[in-house]
């Protein structure tokens, strides 16, 4: 089983004179053997999502840190 998760994080910064926008693709894959049938597929998908969730949290945290540091 192959589990995959994909999120496109769109960032738009309107603080400057010229707006800046970009998209960060956040992707993870996980492979499980077919030892437990469909539950192996569920586990592969869950693990992939957990990996994407960590990356998403880090990306959002980095964005907020940059905003905070520029306001000082």
């Amino acid at each position: 089983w192959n589990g995959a998760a994909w999120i496109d994080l769109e960032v738009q910064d309107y603080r400057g004179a010229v707006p800046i926008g970009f998209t960060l693709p956040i992707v993870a894959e996980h492979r499980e053997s077919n030892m437990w049938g469909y539950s192996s597929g569920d586990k592969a998908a869950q693990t992939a999502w957990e990996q994407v969730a960590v990356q998403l949290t880090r990306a959002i945290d980095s964005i907020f840190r940059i905003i905070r540091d520029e306001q000082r």
Side-chain angles (χ1 to χ4, degrees):
W1 292 96
N2 291 319
W6 178 312
I7 297 174
D8 284 331
L9 176 62
E10 185 176 338
V11 179
Q12 297 178 355
D13 185 356
Y14 293 104
R15 294 175 296 156
V18 177
I20 299 171
F22 54 92
T23 302
L24 297 170
I26 301 175
V27 181
E29 293 180 326
H30 183 74
R31 182 181 303 228
E32 287 285 331
S33 68
N34 195 21
M35 179 183 263
W36 303 108
Y38 287 115
S39 67
S40 297
D42 292 342
K43 183 176 179 186
Q46 181 65 34
T47 301
W49 170 247
E50 289 170 359
Q51 292 171 355
V52 163
V54 169
Q55 293 177 58
L56 177 61
T57 302
R58 286 182 181 158
I60 293 172
D61 183 57
S62 293
I63 292 167
F64 286 145
R65 286 175 187 253
I66 290 167
I67 293 169
R68 180 199 64 197
D69 293 346
E70 288 184 0
Q71 302 230 348
R72 288 184 180 176

